[in-house]
Amino acid sequence: MTTEYQTQQKKVRLHNLGFPRIGNKRELKFALENYWKNDITEGQLLASAKQIRSNNWALQQTLDLVPVADFSLYDQVLDMSFMLGNLPHRIAHFNDSELDNYFRIARGRSANDSPCQCVHAGEMTKWFDTNYHYIVPEVTAETSFTLNSARILAQVAEAKAQGVNFKPVLIGPVTYLWLSKEKDTSNKLDLLDKLLPVYQTLLSELAQAGVEWVQIDEPVLVTELDSAWQDAVIEAYQALKSSPVKLLLATYFGTLGDNLTLSLNLPVAGIHYDAVRGKSALAHVIEALPADKILSLGVIDGRNIWKTDLTATLEYLQPIAAKLADRLWLAPSCSLLHVPVNLDNEVTVNKASLDAEILSWLAFAEQKLVELTVLGKALNNGINSVSNELAENQAAINSRRTSTRVHNPAVKAAVNSITNDLGKRLSGYTVRAAKQATHLPLPLYPTTTIGSFPQTKEIRQARLAFKKHNISASEYEAKMKAEIEYAIREQEKLGLDVLVHGEAERNDMVEYFGEQLQGYAFSQFGWVQSYGSRCVKPPILFGDISRPHPMTVAWTKYAQSLTTKPMKGMLTGPVTILNWSFVRDDQSRRDSCLQLALAVRQEVQDLEAAGVNVIQIDEAALREGLPLRQSEWQEYLNWAVESFRISANGVKDETQIHTHMCYSEFNDIIEAIAHMDADVITIETSRSDMELLDVFEKFAYPNQIGPGVYDIHSPNIPSPEQVTKLMLKAAERIPANRLWVNPDCGLKTRQWDEVLPALQNMVEAAKILRAVA
Ligand code: GLN
Ligand code: ZN
């Protein structure tokens, strides 16, 4: 290493844990999709990927260490599975390119697969409490590991050629196993002994390639680990202790809790700690840090898009820097994968919703690295060396802190005056159910759908044209009304009992509401990778939430005017709106959620006043908000369920409240679900063969349930017999007079020619069920 490198070592060093790999303009997304369509070759895809890596390193080159192998063509966990030679047998017989096999596991098929050599894709699940989804490694007692280091060594060579100082990033062995799923009855922890030698060889190969530091990610350390897993952590790092590289053990997404002493005493050269989410325990970490260890502090929020208060950060960092001297490193709290790439993209276009004021409050990945550099300069060269930057930052922080767009005293007062009564229905379920049965007579096994009907190309084109001012508001309205009318006529023909308007006018179930609420903003290019080539653009909840005008009433009223059948009003619930947004860091998630709850409550009451007797409030993302530590679940569930209740329960007994959740794990939250006290809950069940209802049965869930009878993700049309069979299974668990018949979820991703026969058969099944009841 050069002398310059050595002098730098005397100071606070700056590094990054990972950079978004989707590309500044989502280049990776488009390259992947073109490759899958056979529009570009493997060589072209790999060239695009290489270009993104190179750009990313160039963007980060002012740091002392940039991450390498944080890049992935689809998913970093799947990359690890390939590196460790842990591949499912079902792809073993394909001997075309490794890349094609990679995509087969990622998504069931690759390019060039025609006729389709489809295999079932690896299961996908959420990466800790983020909205990023990884491909779950599959293991059995027979699983063995063999090192395939070609990809990572190639990226190391690329980084060297580019002349950046770097550290490769790996997922640690314990986290890798923790994320895996046993496909038999074995215990995945038993695989650790087979796994560690592969890591040892890998680290040796990296050392041979000239690597000094390796970042080894063990976010599992911020979860609750039992003693077997804690022992596994100790065993793993004892085994890797003699590696010829220095290990920076990276933890993130929370405090270390009971794993603190364990983590700090592992035989590694350094540890990364999330000082944003783990701020409360930072003092303990500093105190307990062994004298020979580097401490990397994640001081810039890698999970959110707000500017860091640099002055406040420096205030708490200065004593730490004084104490640790050259043992202190600084970084974002976690990989920047979870934030959009570059805020400047928002500035250069004719911005619609992000005005200069809001822009001045934000920092995306690139801007966060600039913040990091300012912090580094302040600590290394003195505050005066960055006085302009700090002043500018402080002005932005103050502007946000004092803005009347952020702070609305009336909203704060409304939240402060929430009483227990607000969340309570006038009567208990039994009384309500009786009143509703009179007010809203329905047959046994009533049929309904979850809300959306196909978002056709015409609908999307009309919305785009409207946004671009190519058609007028009244033209757009007329088109949407025509779609609503079509959906209603089809539902009437089908003979469904409770109709929906079909959500034609909604781009997205959160964005639609966010756009109409005060306190929300939308970026144009704030894309964040959700999985593979898929990105989401989370809305930005920046201020106190109020509802200046009704959001759905006109559409729902129009829909109701077209039919004598009951029309179900359709809203997204406060918890889901919150969990799918970038949220404020200047107040608790609870407070933001309660504000949203009050806004949705007004909408519910306006719908009721407009004569809508059935109102569904979707809480698709309730589960997603669960904290990483189970000991913190109850606190979350308390305010989340209370928020739902506040939004839903300001209505007469006669008004029937529905909720919908599209997932299939209720075991550990059934009590909370029951406490939501919706008159009807519709859930995803078809793939679990109704076994999911066991927990509702065991809990003696008292209200009505619509267990989904077919999987809307599949184009397959269920037969009346299949639906009947499923519902009879349901009726073994839940009394028939509390069952509804409906699909698993909304139908917006399907075609009308799939939806109509499927619903036809569903309605047919309800008739059979009534006849045999
Ligand atoms: N009402 C929404 C729809 O039907 C619900 C979607 C969801 O739960 N994800 O599209
Ligand atoms: Zn759903």
Side-chain angles (χ1 to χ4, degrees):
M1 291 292 158
T2 63
T3 43
E4 186 197 338
Y5 187 76
Q6 277 157 8
T7 49
Q8 273 176 8
Q9 259 183 338
K10 300 280 169 247
K11 299 178 177 177
V12 170
R13 296 178 79 188
L14 307 179
H15 73 110
N16 185 21
L17 277 66
F19 197 80
R21 59 246 184 167
I22 202 71
N24 187 28
K25 294 260 155 64
R26 284 183 294 159
E27 290 86 347
L28 180 62
K29 172 193 177 68
F30 301 117
L32 282 169
E33 289 171 359
N34 286 335
Y35 176 69
W36 296 332
K37 281 189 289 189
N38 281 313
D39 287 351
I40 61 170
T41 62
E42 176 168 333
Q44 285 170 302
L45 170 65
L46 297 181
S48 302
K50 189 171 174 186
Q51 187 62 53
I52 294 171
R53 288 194 291 271
S54 165
N55 291 347
N56 286 356
W57 291 328
L59 285 169
Q60 301 175 85
Q61 68 187 2
T62 54
L63 304 182
D64 297 300
L65 287 173
V66 304
V68 162
D70 56 333
F71 181 86
S72 173
L73 279 172
Y74 199 94
D75 167 42
Q76 75 271 17
V77 181
L78 185 59
D79 288 359
M80 253 352 262
S81 292
F82 269 77
M83 200 181 329
L84 300 169
N86 176 30
L87 306 179
H89 286 306
R90 60 184 181 278
I91 55 152
H93 63 283
F94 292 104
N95 43 22
D96 49 3
S97 86
E98 180 177 289
L99 187 71
D100 286 315
N101 268 341
Y102 180 83
F103 289 134
R104 284 190 189 102
I105 305 177
R107 51 192 287 277
R109 61 188 301 172
S110 185
N112 304 312
D113 274 3
S114 75
C116 184
Q117 304 183 36
C118 304
V119 294
H120 79 255
E123 191 185 317
M124 209 163 55
T125 195
K126 282 161 73 76
W127 172 252
F128 296 88
D129 61 350
T130 72
N131 194 25
Y132 176 79
H133 300 73
Y134 68 93
I135 306 285
V136 179
E138 300 172 23
V139 294
T140 65
E142 272 71 61
T143 296
S144 60
F145 302 98
T146 43
L147 182 63
N148 177 356
S149 54
R151 185 190 63 93
I152 193 165
L153 291 177
Q155 291 185 25
V156 163
E158 267 172 48
K160 270 193 187 164
Q162 195 162 326
V164 285
N165 287 322
F166 63 89
K167 62 170 157 44
V169 180
L170 303 174
I171 294 171
V174 183
T175 294
Y176 181 79
L177 284 182
W178 194 79
L179 298 173
S180 310
K181 188 167 170 182
E182 294 108 341
K183 290 283 161 183
D184 58 8
T185 55
S186 65
N187 178 356
K188 57 194 182 183
L189 256 187
D190 295 343
L191 294 171
L192 187 65
D193 291 339
K194 291 200 238 173
L195 185 56
L196 292 174
V198 181
Y199 272 85
Q200 283 166 333
T201 314
L202 173 60
L203 294 176
S204 302
E205 288 188 12
L206 289 171
Q208 272 158 31
V211 167
E212 183 191 8
W213 279 95
V214 172
Q215 174 187 323
I216 193 151
D217 287 9
E218 292 285 12
V220 75
L221 287 167
V222 310
T223 68
E224 284 153 341
L225 297 179
D226 64 23
S227 58
W229 282 94
Q230 289 187 330
D231 290 347
V233 175
I234 295 171
E235 185 193 335
Y237 288 89
Q238 280 300 335
L240 301 182
K241 183 166 90 171
S242 50
S243 306
V245 291
K246 293 183 191 156
L247 293 181
L248 177 72
L249 182 88
T251 70
Y252 39 79
F253 301 152
T255 62
L256 293 165
D258 289 344
N259 304 322
L260 185 129
T261 310
L262 163 94
S263 307
L264 292 180
N265 290 296
L266 291 170
V268 292
I271 181 153
H272 172 83
Y273 180 76
D274 182 337
V276 176
R277 289 212 177 168
K279 184 83 186 288
S280 61
L282 179 57
H284 297 298
V285 173
I286 308 286
E287 207 177 299
L289 184 76
D292 60 339
K293 274 201 180 53
I294 299 282
L295 179 66
S296 160
L297 289 182
V299 292
I300 287 170
D301 194 349
R303 295 287 298 274
N304 215 330
I305 39 67
W306 305 109
K307 259 186 192 161
T308 309
D309 183 339
L310 296 177
T311 306
T313 306
L314 281 171
E315 243 159 61
Y316 82 77
L317 278 181
Q318 271 162 336
I320 299 175
K323 180 170 180 204
L324 299 184
D326 62 348
R327 291 194 293 134
L328 178 65
W329 292 15
L330 296 182
S333 59
C334 59
S335 166
L336 296 174
L337 178 66
H338 310 291
V339 293
V341 178
N342 185 4
L343 190 65
D344 293 345
N345 288 330
E346 306 291 328
V347 189
T348 47
V349 290
N350 56 330
K351 70 239 165 181
S353 32
L354 284 185
D355 52 82
E357 189 179 24
I358 292 181
L359 278 173
S360 78
W361 302 338
L362 303 179
F364 291 177
E366 286 193 33
Q367 289 68 38
K368 285 174 187 286
L369 293 178
V370 175
E371 291 184 337
L372 188 64
T373 317
V374 175
L375 290 176
K377 279 189 191 149
L379 291 176
N380 286 334
N381 310 333
I383 301 272
N384 289 341
S385 66
V386 283
S387 45
N388 288 345
E389 288 89 337
L390 291 180
E392 214 178 289
N393 173 265
Q394 209 48 41
I397 298 293
N398 284 336
S399 137
R400 186 174 155 224
R401 195 175 285 146
T402 54
S403 167
T404 52
R405 294 168 72 189
V406 174
H407 303 283
N408 179 338
V411 175
K412 293 195 206 295
V415 168
N416 284 334
S417 57
I418 289 176
T419 58
N420 273 346
D421 288 348
L422 219 55
K424 278 206 196 98
R425 290 290 292 259
L426 297 171
S427 310
Y429 169 74
T430 323
V431 173
R432 297 191 320 253
K435 289 192 192 173
Q436 288 164 19
T438 317
H439 196 67
L440 180 82
L442 289 169
L444 191 64
Y445 291 109
T447 54
T448 191
T449 59
I450 303 305
S452 57
F453 274 108
Q455 280 275 327
T456 59
K457 205 158 94 200
E458 292 71 37
I459 295 179
R460 277 180 280 126
Q461 276 170 354
R463 184 155 33 247
L464 195 67
F466 175 48
K467 276 208 164 141
K468 289 188 167 167
H469 303 290
N470 292 337
I471 61 172
S472 68
S474 58
E475 278 172 284
Y476 176 68
E477 191 183 315
K479 276 190 200 293
M480 293 303 116
K481 282 187 165 173
E483 293 291 341
I484 291 171
E485 174 153 22
Y486 177 74
I488 289 173
R489 296 295 165 244
E490 291 303 326
Q491 292 174 83
E492 286 180 324
K493 276 191 250 165
L494 287 163
L496 286 157
D497 298 307
V498 173
L499 311 194
V500 296
H501 78 293
E503 302 181 26
E505 80 288 4
R506 300 187 191 172
N507 39 2
D508 172 274
M509 64 187 282
V510 171
E511 196 167 327
Y512 178 78
F513 291 93
E515 276 175 347
Q516 300 187 71
L517 289 169
Q518 217 119 67
Y520 256 102
F522 293 83
S523 67
Q524 297 201 44
F525 301 103
W527 297 103
V528 178
Q529 192 174 18
S530 171
Y531 63 90
S533 66
R534 283 285 286 269
C535 300
V536 294
K537 209 170 51 161
I540 300 168
L541 195 170
F542 71 88
D544 289 335
I545 293 294
S546 61
R547 189 199 66 145
H549 48 73
M551 304 180 283
T552 64
V553 177
W555 297 112
T556 316
K557 239 170 108 171
Y558 170 72
Q560 183 68 82
S561 77
L562 298 175
T563 180
T564 54
K565 290 263 179 119
M567 177 63 54
K568 182 161 64 166
M570 194 59 58
L571 305 174
T572 303
V575 189
T576 298
I577 299 181
L578 181 88
N579 285 342
W580 284 347
S581 305
F582 282 120
V583 295
R584 292 170 68 169
D585 60 356
D586 59 345
Q587 70 180 20
S588 65
R589 292 202 313 150
R590 170 183 174 274
D591 284 351
S592 296
C593 201
L594 290 171
Q595 293 185 355
L596 286 163
L598 291 175
V600 176
R601 178 184 177 93
Q602 291 174 349
E603 186 72 15
V604 168
Q605 290 176 329
D606 281 351
L607 280 172
E608 181 183 62
V612 181
N613 297 318
V614 187
I615 300 168
Q616 178 174 313
I617 305 170
D618 290 322
E619 285 293 16
L622 184 102
R623 233 201 119 83
E624 292 185 15
L626 285 171
L628 285 171
R629 288 205 179 84
Q630 204 141 0
S631 58
E632 292 163 16
W633 281 21
Q634 198 51 51
E635 200 237 325
Y636 162 74
L637 287 170
N638 286 348
W639 59 254
V641 170
E642 191 55 21
S643 297
F644 175 84
R645 288 169 59 102
I646 289 168
S647 72
N649 289 353
V651 292
K652 297 181 293 196
D653 285 344
E654 288 77 5
T655 299
Q656 188 172 66
I657 296 290
H658 290 224
T659 190
H660 165 72
M661 294 178 191
C662 32
Y663 40 79
S664 42
E665 295 158 68
F666 288 94
N667 279 308
D668 40 14
I669 55 167
I670 186 69
E671 205 175 324
I673 300 293
H675 190 51
M676 287 170 74
D677 197 23
D679 296 301
V680 182
I681 182 172
T682 56
I683 53 179
E684 174 183 319
T685 20
S686 70
R687 277 183 292 183
S688 79
D689 209 25
M690 295 293 157
E691 274 166 24
L692 166 62
L693 290 178
D694 289 351
V695 46
F696 287 83
E697 183 190 12
K698 217 164 89 200
F699 189 79
Y701 182 81
N703 304 6
Q704 297 164 60
I705 310 180
V709 291
Y710 77 90
D711 178 12
I712 55 91
H713 299 293
S714 151
N716 300 342
I717 313 285
S719 69
E721 292 70 34
Q722 280 170 321
V723 175
T724 309
K725 219 172 117 194
L726 278 173
M727 286 307 299
L728 288 174
K729 279 194 179 165
E732 287 167 15
R733 294 163 167 96
I734 308 289
N737 65 359
R738 286 200 270 120
L739 284 173
W740 286 64
V741 185
N742 48 260
D744 266 352
C745 193
L747 301 164
K748 68 175 171 201
T749 57
R750 299 257 64 90
Q751 313 283 323
W752 275 105
D753 61 3
E754 297 161 342
V755 163
L756 293 176
L759 291 179
Q760 183 78 62
N761 292 350
M762 190 184 90
V763 172
E764 187 58 39
K767 287 184 188 149
I768 300 172
L769 288 161
R770 287 167 200 153
V772 300

